[in-house]
Amino acid sequence: MLGGQLADRYLRHQGLTPRRRLEINGLMSIAAMVDQGLGISLLPDWSALWSSGLSIQKVPLPGTAPVRKSGFVWSARSPRAPLARMFLEQAEALFAPKVKRKR
C-alpha cells in the first residue's frame, strides 16, 4: 500500500476529511512546505525529517498508527544469494519484536 493511501485510510478511520490543495510524493518536499507554513501533513516517522533543520514538530497519532511494511526479494540463483540471506538474517535480528524475559 502506498504511503498516501495508508494516511488516507488512517484519517478516514479517525473521522477526518482533509481539504487537499496539493498532492506531492516527496517527503522532504512536503516537510519543507509545512516548514514554510503551507499546511500540515501526516508523514512517516523518518529520521531524516528530524535532522533536516526544518522547523517542524512531531506529534504522536491517536489510536493505532498506520504501519508500513517492506519486503525483500532476491534471486536464489544469484551469486549474491548468500549475501542477501545474510542481510535478511541481520534485518530480522534487528527488527524482530523484543521479548521481555523473566528473571
Side-chain angles (χ1 to χ4, degrees):
M1 177 177 292
L2 300 174
Q5 293 171 334
L6 198 60
D8 282 341
R9 180 184 292 170
Y10 173 80
L11 292 172
R12 275 196 314 272
H13 188 261
Q14 296 299 317
L16 300 170
T17 307
R19 290 182 303 172
R20 296 181 196 180
R21 301 210 175 167
L22 297 169
E23 193 161 324
I24 300 173
N25 218 7
L27 297 179
M28 288 305 284
S29 298
I30 295 168
M33 290 177 147
V34 170
D35 175 61
Q36 294 300 308
L38 296 174
I40 61 173
S41 184
L42 181 62
L43 297 173
D45 189 359
W46 182 40
S47 62
L49 292 175
W50 315 120
S51 60
S52 66
L54 297 174
S55 182
I56 56 177
Q57 183 177 359
K58 179 169 47 171
V59 177
L61 295 175
T64 303
V67 175
R68 264 188 169 172
K69 295 184 180 181
S70 299
F72 184 61
V73 179
W74 73 89
S75 170
R77 293 177 293 214
S78 166
R80 294 187 177 93
L83 181 60
R85 275 192 223 78
M86 284 179 21
F87 176 83
L88 180 60
E89 289 169 7
Q90 291 300 310
E92 286 174 333
L94 181 64
F95 295 110
K98 305 296 182 213
V99 178
K100 291 185 180 181
R101 297 182 184 185
K102 295 180 182 179
R103 293 183 181 180

